[in-house]
Every structure is written in C-alpha cells, then in structure tokens.
Amino acid sequence: MTNPVPGRSPYLWIVGVIVAFGQVTKALVDDFMTLHESRTIVEGLVRLTYVQNRGAAFGILSEAGLPYQSLMFSVVSLLALLAIALYAWRMPVQSRLPQTALALVMGGAIGNLLDRARLGYVIDYVDVYWGAHHWPAFNVADSAITVGVALLVLDILRNPQLDESAKPEIAASPAAHGE
C-alpha cells in the first residue's frame, strides 16, 4: 500500500496529536469545572480557570458582541487554514523546521475552529499570572500556534533567503561596469 502523502506523514501526525490533545483537555475542563472556576496549579503563577472565549486570539473582541461574530471568526480561521495548508504543501518536505511549525499552527487552528463551530466559542483554561497581572487565558491549541509561529520566525532568522528573481540585473548593463 502506498502512502497518499509521501513524506508528509510526520506533519499530519503532529496536526492530529495537537487537535486530539487540545480537544481532550478542553473536554476535561468542560466536564469537571464550572464556568469561571479556578484551581491553583502553581501558587502565584498558574491556575486552571475555565473561560469561554467568544473573540479572537487572547480574547481580542471577546466582548464586542458583533453580529455573527462566531461565524466571522470561523470563516477567517478556515481561510487562514487553507492558506497555511497550501503554503505547507508547496514547501519542500525536507524543510523540517518550517513544516513542523506549520503543522503546529494548523493543529492549533483546527482545534480552536472545532470549538467555535461546535460551541460558538473556544474553551480556554490556562491562567498565567504574577500578582495582579494576568496573561489572557489560553489552551493547548493556542500554545501550539504560538510555538509554531515562534519556530517560523526562528527559521526565517536562521535562513534569510533572497529570491534570485528579485535581484536587480545590474551586472548586465554597460553602465554598471563603468563603460
């Protein structure tokens, strides 16, 4: 039996594991905690706090109450997923770091999209804080997206490549040689 996606299986596994792990952790929070309930994990640093994010990343526009807000965020997420998938498909399989990064982003985005499509909101639960200062609550999917984006930035910084077609053809002109 041949592999329908030669060389891409590890990246598909990453996507699947992120989606599955994210959905399981969200289901556990939903089953065993009540909305806005908090449980301390590390005193003064991390709590589990069940929140329903109706907005974008980190709760942006969560309280906006826009008409069809959940549908709008779902459509934007779906379009972004399609763009990322096309980009990943066109990228060489051997580009391990960016392929892994894109798989993390896709897994996280799919996980949050499933919540939004099924529930109308995303379940967030990791509450990181220091004193009175709180980072917006997040989940496994958000973490995967953040790590994926950080890996993409790292790859860009490690391998800056100038597109050969973008270089000006200076050497071909007689003026460039001082003639």
Side-chain angles (χ1 to χ4, degrees):
M1 189 165 123
T2 61
N3 183 355
V5 190
R8 298 195 190 275
S9 295
Y11 310 120
L12 294 174
W13 273 101
I14 291 170
V15 171
V17 166
I18 294 298
V19 171
F21 187 57
Q23 291 299 296
V24 166
T25 57
K26 291 173 185 178
L28 289 171
V29 167
D30 192 42
D31 288 347
F32 294 106
M33 295 180 72
T34 59
L35 187 60
H36 304 295
E37 178 184 353
S38 287
R39 297 183 187 174
T40 300
I41 302 298
V42 177
E43 185 64 45
L45 190 60
V46 180
R47 291 190 297 215
L48 291 181
T49 301
Y50 180 7
V51 290
Q52 296 173 348
N53 178 1
R54 297 181 188 283
F58 304 115
I60 296 169
L61 298 176
S62 190
E63 303 298 322
L66 301 170
Y68 307 106
Q69 183 167 315
S70 182
L71 178 64
M72 178 186 68
F73 286 129
S74 294
V75 169
V76 169
S77 295
L78 193 55
L79 292 173
L81 268 168
L82 289 172
I84 292 166
L86 285 172
Y87 181 66
W89 189 259
R90 293 180 56 144
M91 182 179 290
V93 174
Q94 299 80 11
S95 300
R96 286 190 219 144
L97 183 60
Q99 286 281 8
T100 301
L102 292 171
L104 288 168
V105 171
M106 286 182 63
I110 290 169
N112 282 343
L113 181 61
L114 288 172
D115 274 15
R116 203 171 296 288
R118 188 171 51 91
L119 305 168
Y121 54 85
V122 174
I123 295 174
D124 286 333
Y125 50 87
V126 180
D127 179 15
V128 176
Y129 64 99
W130 184 271
H133 307 287
H134 286 256
W135 186 259
F138 58 95
N139 58 44
V140 168
D142 298 332
S143 298
I145 292 168
T146 302
V147 169
V149 169
L151 289 174
L152 284 172
V153 169
L154 177 66
D155 184 60
I156 290 167
L157 293 174
R158 279 187 21 189
N159 301 308
Q161 298 170 351
L162 181 60
D163 182 7
E164 292 297 319
S165 63
K167 288 184 180 177
E169 293 293 328
I170 297 174
S173 98
H177 297 288
E179 298 173 11

